[in-house]
Amino acid sequence: MAKLRRKVRAYLQLVRLHNLVATAVSTLIGYLAVAVSLVNPSLNPAAPLSTVVLVAAGSYAINDYFDVEVDKVNKPYRPIPSGIVGRNEALVLSIILIVAGVSLATFSGPTSLTFASLNTILLILYSYRIKELGVPGNIVIGFGGAASIIYGGLALAEYVGVLDRVTSTYIPALYAFLLLLSREIVKTIEDYVADAVRNVRSLPRIIGPIKSAFTAVALLALVIVLSPLPYVLAGYGTIYLSLTAVTDCVIVYSMLKLISREFRSKPEIVAGRVRAYLKLAVFIGSLAFLTDLLTRFFATIHFST
């Protein structure tokens, strides 16, 4: 029994269970962004959520499959280098999860299936090669978060025959892309030494940690500038506005840390702290969209009944 529990824990670690929760939330935001405009959204949200979560889980597993040699040095406690999960075992698991996830996209229609398939290929290529290229890998991670939101809305919009309404997912998707891209750049500053050993052409290794920090600050400033747009243009209410104000405060604090004197003397250490702050910003920002959309969604159901 103890061996079985150890194996289950290893599988959950392999597929990054905590990240899958965030992925599910992102997909639900996209679904709700379309659903609030419909009288009766006939597609259960479990369908698009299952597609994205299964594909994400498979992508995490195949990432560890490709990273096994690096993990033997940097993360020997991971499931594969520790020997709890075999490398081929992880590959088989990833294939099963990815095929199952993409197959579920067929219920929504050909556009959703194509979108899911192309994103799956992109995620596999990221694990195989793109992440070693530095900036392109950062962009893929940012796009992955945005794509989860778009797919949640796309699957519903195609299923009910209102594909044009997928545009309602673009604002939260853009918000997610910019915030995640900023966080990825900060992470490359934190990983500056490790990336030099692995010869990853990260932004700090090309232009230096200081200029990379200013790039992240510029992107974060853009997030703050754009944050009122859902309230002004897309029907989001005071719940969103209140929570996004908190998000903006966390972002401003992160920006100040990135231009501080302490950062210039200890960039990797400060970047590690800022990455944690931005993770909090991502969480609160997601909560801002989710709670506002849920409130409007249930209000729509109430009035329609």
Side-chain angles (χ1 to χ4, degrees):
M1 186 62 71
K3 187 177 180 180
L4 178 60
R5 285 198 297 267
R6 189 182 179 205
K7 193 81 166 181
V8 170
R9 283 198 298 268
Y11 276 126
L12 293 177
Q13 187 181 12
L14 190 69
V15 300
R16 318 292 205 278
L17 181 62
H18 59 291
N19 285 352
L20 295 183
V21 173
T23 298
V25 169
S26 297
T27 310
L28 183 58
I29 288 171
Y31 175 92
L32 290 170
V34 173
V36 293
S37 67
L38 303 174
V39 175
N40 181 26
S42 52
L43 178 67
N44 191 302
L49 262 65
S50 296
T51 291
V52 178
V53 168
L54 287 170
V55 168
S59 300
Y60 287 131
I62 206 168
N63 181 76
D64 277 21
Y65 170 84
F66 286 120
D67 268 3
V68 63
E69 294 303 323
V70 174
D71 285 346
K72 283 180 181 178
V73 178
N74 296 331
K75 300 176 182 178
Y77 54 84
R78 293 290 303 165
I80 299 177
S82 67
I84 302 174
V85 176
R87 192 179 184 216
N88 288 336
E89 191 179 345
L91 179 61
V92 171
L93 175 65
S94 69
I95 292 172
I96 292 172
L97 291 170
I98 287 171
V99 170
V102 173
S103 297
L104 287 173
T106 58
F107 288 107
S108 293
T111 304
S112 298
L113 177 60
T114 301
F115 189 85
S117 300
L118 291 176
N119 275 281
T120 300
I121 293 170
L122 184 61
L123 289 172
I124 294 171
L125 289 175
Y126 169 81
S127 295
Y128 175 65
R129 178 60 180 162
I130 294 175
K131 66 180 174 182
E132 300 295 335
L133 302 179
V135 177
N138 302 151
I139 293 172
V140 169
I141 292 296
F143 177 76
S148 297
I149 295 173
I150 293 172
Y151 181 80
L154 173 63
L156 174 59
E158 182 172 25
Y159 187 82
V160 299
V162 287
L163 265 176
D164 59 306
R165 297 195 187 182
V166 75
T167 56
S168 61
T169 66
Y170 292 169
I171 288 180
L174 176 62
Y175 191 95
F177 173 76
L178 293 171
L179 192 48
L180 290 171
L181 179 58
S182 305
R183 185 170 176 268
E184 281 298 302
I185 291 173
V186 171
K187 186 177 184 298
T188 59
I189 299 172
E190 180 187 8
D191 295 340
Y192 181 79
V193 175
D195 284 345
V197 173
R198 297 167 59 193
N199 198 31
V200 176
R201 289 190 54 78
S202 64
L203 192 62
R205 293 196 62 227
I206 297 172
I207 64 175
I210 303 300
K211 289 182 180 178
S212 297
F214 278 102
T215 302
V217 166
L219 289 170
L220 291 170
L222 185 56
V223 171
I224 293 174
V225 169
L226 294 176
S227 62
L229 287 185
Y231 178 80
V232 175
L233 300 177
Y236 288 79
T238 54
I239 295 175
Y240 165 82
L241 203 60
S242 301
L243 286 171
T244 201
V246 178
T247 307
D248 288 348
C249 289
V250 176
I251 292 174
V252 169
Y253 183 74
S254 301
M255 292 165 65
L256 292 174
K257 284 292 183 182
L258 289 173
I259 60 175
S260 67
R261 185 175 299 176
E262 182 187 14
F263 176 82
R264 292 177 179 273
S265 61
K266 298 181 291 186
E268 290 93 348
I269 294 174
V270 175
R273 296 176 194 155
V274 171
R275 181 172 62 86
Y277 303 149
L278 292 178
K279 188 173 185 177
L280 176 62
V282 171
F283 172 76
I284 302 173
S286 299
L287 196 62
F289 283 103
L290 183 63
T291 52
D292 197 284
L293 286 167
L294 279 172
T295 301
R296 286 192 282 151
F297 177 71
F298 287 118
T300 300
I301 291 177
H302 173 73
F303 286 123
S304 65
T305 55

